[in-house]
Amino acid sequence: MSGRARLTVFAALATLLTSWSLAGLVESSGWIAQAAALLAVQAAVGAGARRVPLARSLTVAAQLLVSLLILVFLFAGRGESTGNGPLAYLVTDFGALFGQGVRDVGEFAIPAPLTDGIQLLLLAGVLLVGLLVDMLAVTLRTAAAAGLPLLALYSVAAGLATDDSGTWFSFLLAGTGYLLLLLAEGRDRLAQWGRVFGAAPRGRVSAASGYGGGAAGGQAVAPVRTGRRIGVVALGLALAVPMALPALGDGLVGGRGTGDADGSGAGGGTISAVNPLVSLQSSLNAQDNRVVLKYRTDSTQVADQYVRILALDEFNGVKWEASGRPLSDVPARMPNPPGLGDQVRAGASEVRTTFSAADTYVQRYLPMPYPATGVDIGGKWRFEPAGRTLVGDQLGKDKFQNVQGAQYTVRSMMLRPTVRQLQSAPAPGDAIRADYTKLPDNLPPVVADTARKVTQGSKDDYTRAVKLQDFFAVSGGFRYNTRTASGTGPQAVARFLEDKEGFCIHFAFSMAAMSRSLGIPARVAVGFTPGERQSDGTWNVSMRDAHAWPELYFEGVGWTRFEPTPRSGISIPDYSQAQTPSSRPSAPSALPSASATEPNAAPSKADDCPPELKKLGECGAPASAQAAGPGAGGPSVLAVLGWVAGGAALLGLPLLPMLWRTRVRGRRLAAGSVLSAWRELGDAAWDVGIAPDESLSPRGAVARIVELGRLEPDATEAVRRVGGAVERALYAPAGADAAYPGLAQDVLLARAGLLAGVSRAARLRARLVPRSAARVVWAASARWSAASAAAATRLSAIRPRLPSRPRG
């Protein structure tokens, strides 16, 4: 293996070893094998381009083009196409998938599922870094500078990783790859100086030379071998020193500090802000839809038993979040919920629910029905009274108690407030009103104006709340769409009211903000809908059951759930249906999974289904799905034709050199020029491995072709006739007759003889991948150089000349 080929291999290997540090960011590491294959193709393209040889810029351009084409065809059709034909599938669709990957990165928690978008970002990033490393180390011969993109790749992975257990191993792999790259370049550079830098024979050098020998007569020790030892020692020190000196910090292979990601600090004394938008939207759009919770309950109204995680009670002008509140030990029996009166509590029943969390579900907040009265669970947990949530306590450095794989039992109250109790609720206390009616000063006026317009004529807060719920769920023309960007800031509510499209976060946040503008205390709860009942009586809660809903405060009842989200499978509380009982769906006995957002394939039960129920998905397919035209389930004819054309173009790419040679051969022979035919004969010999030699005379070139091509007599005579014609064309006196009617036939006869004299594999290569096709690359390189020189000349011509400095 040549020095440059070895350097190419180790450049790709260094990139691949460094990319291993990204493995902890996603759940599956299967993409690494794809990255290895793509890096190999990219390196092979670079090696071939340098062997031609191409200009440096064209070499990098060829690698970039091939890498991009592979990614485009690898991920074509996986995104949301906005049109038909190959352009939509190969360009628009590819760009949409890239954008979806960027959104997935912001939505999923680490380790994230390996979605198509995230996989595209990983492969594209690794290929980009690999291209930079190959360009710096091999094309530009500066392997030391290639450490910069490798360091950037490792730094991104180390900064995003949440598990520090394998960071040292990732650093070891990355450092080893970079060290091997440096050693490969050093060996290549030293080899150019001659054999003195290798192991010299015994007795050929003196002891004073420093290369071995001497009295002991030992073998020479090459500086390359010494460099390996130095590199290994340096890499070991880089790993060992941060571990041996913890006072210096975790350093390159350590974590990201000792602070709590949630801001609770070492003591676990308060709950700080968390943003549920990321995890909730990513859960709703999850492709695997894995089960995160299983539970069994003795409740007779499971449809109303939502599994609550935490409450977001502060809108700071940027996002809704949970305000920092003091924590306490978990009591044996929790105190009564705030605002709950004796009359409502007397009509409530206690429910017992046993939960089992999946091993893959990592969550510091304990999912529970609301309001819980007691929890039996092992581990270290803390209680937050205002939101009635349990949060995992700190177990050690950067380690906290979570619900992963937990088995626990929750006792909770099933409250059944009546419409009369809600309508006659007295005004809330000053403390509740002050804390839960705050709104940012920059909230757009359209929010409060819309709330007043919707609730116009209402005499109590309960009626206003029901009208707000109906405005979002029934009469306002809103559409449910989990792909809508969540958005932040007060303008997000105004945009949602204008676009009228979003998912549960938009509906819950908007209703809570509008309720606060009317003076009704409100907050947003985040958790899960009840899930799907199984045949054994248990219930499964999956990723797509994630949900958010507003909770409004009524004195004597407490925090009360409302449901403004128009989604199939959502349970509307009975107390909020009293105003419009005929237009509300009844609570089902077996609630379907909230993940069932796809239209029902069955036809509507009746043609006179009320439009309100159609919007809630209770009459079969929603209106938007029914409006789809025939044939919407499959690709159009244009799309199929586009795919066929794209596939034909892809399959035809390897045939381009052969097609080019065929066209050039026909054009040269049709011209009737002796010199054009002579050039075609030289290229035909080049295709079978006889490289052209411009220093030879026509007669010498003929002898070389006949000898190396092992031609038969007929082909030999044809080559000699062509060579004689070339001599006459070059050296005959002016006016001499140089006509040669059988020129084309002789060239084709000579070409056939050349092909017959080589093996079948060589013959196939000469036809499919002719060596003379390199002339195309040479011509492009020459044109590029000429264009660059012309541009430089024009630039120097228009550059203003500075006045010369006077002397003296």
Side-chain angles (χ1 to χ4, degrees), residues 248-298:
L248 297 179
D250 293 328
L252 190 61
V253 297
R256 292 154 302 284
T258 60
D260 182 4
D262 291 330
S264 58
T270 62
I271 297 178
S272 184
V274 295
N275 185 4
L277 296 177
V278 170
S279 59
L280 197 150
Q281 186 173 18
S282 62
S283 298
L284 292 174
N285 292 322
Q287 296 181 351
D288 53 356
N289 195 30
R290 61 181 180 272
V291 174
V292 295
L293 291 172
K294 293 178 179 289
Y295 68 89
R296 185 183 296 274
T297 181
D298 57 5

Side-chain angles (χ1 to χ4, degrees), residues 21-232:
S21 57
L22 299 172
L25 303 183
V26 291
E27 295 176 350
S28 174
S29 58
W31 64 273
I32 296 181
Q34 289 183 323
L38 295 180
L39 282 173
V41 173
Q42 186 183 76
V45 172
R50 284 185 287 266
R51 188 176 180 84
V52 169
L54 287 181
R56 292 176 175 178
S57 57
L58 292 179
T59 298
V60 177
Q63 291 178 281
L64 181 62
L65 178 61
V66 171
S67 301
L68 183 60
L69 287 176
I70 292 176
L71 287 178
V72 167
F73 283 102
L74 186 62
F75 289 93
R78 298 194 188 185
E80 296 179 357
S81 182
T82 57
N84 295 321
L87 184 62
Y89 281 99
L90 300 181
V91 179
T92 308
D93 186 41
F94 182 74
L97 185 61
F98 194 90
Q100 182 59 45
V102 175
R103 291 190 293 272
D104 289 344
V105 169
E107 293 171 2
F108 288 104
I110 296 174
L114 188 61
T115 63
D116 290 335
I118 292 179
Q119 185 179 6
L120 173 59
L121 291 183
L122 289 172
L123 294 178
V126 171
L127 284 178
L128 178 60
V129 172
L131 179 61
L132 293 175
V133 172
D134 186 88
M135 179 185 68
L136 293 172
V138 188
T139 303
L140 302 180
R141 305 304 292 268
T142 55
L148 294 177
L150 293 176
L151 179 61
L153 179 62
Y154 174 81
S155 299
V156 170
L160 295 176
T162 57
D163 185 8
D164 297 332
S165 59
T167 310
W168 68 269
F169 183 69
S170 299
F171 176 71
L172 178 62
L173 289 179
T176 301
Y178 182 53
L179 180 61
L180 292 174
L181 177 60
L182 291 179
L183 292 175
E185 190 206 30
R187 180 174 180 178
D188 184 47
R189 288 183 181 274
L190 292 175
Q192 297 177 10
W193 287 83
R195 299 188 52 151
V196 67
F197 288 98
R202 297 183 180 182
R204 293 293 181 91
V205 295
S206 64
S209 65
Y211 295 107
Q219 291 184 349
V221 179
V224 173
R225 189 179 307 169
T226 304
R228 292 194 188 101
R229 296 172 180 174
I230 295 174
V232 171

Side-chain angles (χ1 to χ4, degrees), residues 217-554:
Q219 291 184 349
V221 179
V224 173
R225 189 179 307 169
T226 304
R228 292 194 188 101
R229 296 172 180 174
I230 295 174
V232 171
V233 172
L235 188 59
L237 289 176
L239 288 169
V241 168
M243 300 177 184
L245 300 175
L248 297 179
D250 293 328
L252 190 61
V253 297
R256 292 154 302 284
T258 60
D260 182 4
D262 291 330
S264 58
T270 62
I271 297 178
S272 184
V274 295
N275 185 4
L277 296 177
V278 170
S279 59
L280 197 150
Q281 186 173 18
S282 62
S283 298
L284 292 174
N285 292 322
Q287 296 181 351
D288 53 356
N289 195 30
R290 61 181 180 272
V291 174
V292 295
L293 291 172
K294 293 178 179 289
Y295 68 89
R296 185 183 296 274
T297 181
D298 57 5
S299 173
T300 58
Q301 293 180 302
V302 185
D304 293 328
Q305 183 172 297
Y306 280 28
V307 183
R308 189 170 170 273
I309 297 177
L310 79 162
L312 312 176
D313 54 6
E314 183 175 319
F315 188 21
N316 60 11
V318 177
K319 61 184 177 182
W320 284 83
E321 58 186 10
S323 58
R325 296 182 182 275
L327 300 177
S328 62
D329 294 334
V330 181
R333 183 171 180 84
M334 298 180 184
N336 289 329
L340 181 62
D342 295 338
Q343 187 177 5
V344 177
R345 185 170 62 250
S349 59
E350 188 168 84
V351 175
R352 183 182 179 90
T353 307
T354 302
F355 288 89
S356 175
D359 292 334
T360 58
Y361 183 49
V362 181
Q363 169 64 254
R364 278 191 65 194
Y365 296 89
L366 189 68
M368 302 184 298
Y370 181 86
T373 58
V375 181
D376 297 326
I377 187 174
K380 297 180 63 177
W381 296 89
R382 305 280 285 171
F383 177 60
E384 193 274 292
R388 299 183 71 82
T389 58
L390 262 65
V391 60
D393 203 357
Q394 188 167 11
L395 301 177
K397 181 182 178 182
D398 295 335
K399 187 177 182 181
F400 296 87
Q401 180 70 56
N402 60 62
V403 74
Q404 184 178 17
Q407 309 282 334
Y408 59 99
T409 301
V410 180
R411 299 180 301 278
S412 60
M413 285 189 290
M414 179 63 69
L415 302 178
R416 301 181 181 87
T418 63
V419 173
R420 181 178 296 276
Q421 291 171 338
L422 292 167
Q423 285 179 330
S424 59
D430 294 338
I432 292 291
R433 186 182 294 275
D435 287 344
Y436 296 100
T437 58
K438 292 180 181 179
L439 286 171
D441 296 334
N442 56 350
L443 187 69
V446 67
V447 179
D449 294 343
T450 304
R452 288 192 296 269
K453 181 179 179 181
V454 170
T455 61
Q456 186 177 8
S458 302
K459 298 181 179 180
D460 55 80
D461 287 347
Y462 164 75
T463 306
R464 297 186 185 95
V466 172
K467 286 187 176 182
L468 286 178
Q469 176 182 268
D470 291 346
F471 169 67
F472 289 110
V474 178
S475 61
F478 289 85
R479 299 177 299 276
Y480 182 80
N481 183 5
T482 60
R483 296 292 181 180
T484 304
S486 55
T488 57
Q491 294 295 333
V493 180
R495 287 195 300 270
F496 171 64
L497 293 177
E498 179 181 358
D499 298 339
K500 294 190 175 184
E501 186 174 62
F503 60 105
C504 55
I505 282 289
H506 298 88
F507 291 96
F509 284 8
S510 299
M511 181 172 175
M514 294 171 72
S515 298
R516 287 192 174 192
S517 70
L518 299 174
I520 306 174
R523 66 188 185 187
V524 176
V526 178
F528 298 96
T529 54
E532 186 173 3
R533 183 182 177 88
Q534 306 300 303
S535 58
D536 59 354
T538 61
W539 291 75
N540 283 356
V541 178
S542 61
M543 295 281 288
R544 293 181 190 170
D545 292 318
H547 190 49
W549 60 93
E551 292 181 343
L552 276 56
Y553 182 86
F554 294 92

Side-chain angles (χ1 to χ4, degrees), residues 573-634:
D574 292 338
Y575 49 78
S576 67
Q577 301 185 49
Q579 297 289 334
T580 55
S582 61
S583 62
R584 285 293 184 182
S586 59
S589 58
L591 184 69
S593 172
S595 62
T597 58
E598 295 296 328
N600 188 357
S604 177
K605 294 181 180 179
D607 295 335
D608 57 349
C609 180
E612 294 83 1
L613 297 185
K614 288 183 179 180
K615 291 180 180 179
L616 291 176
E618 296 294 326
C619 302
S624 60
Q626 293 171 356

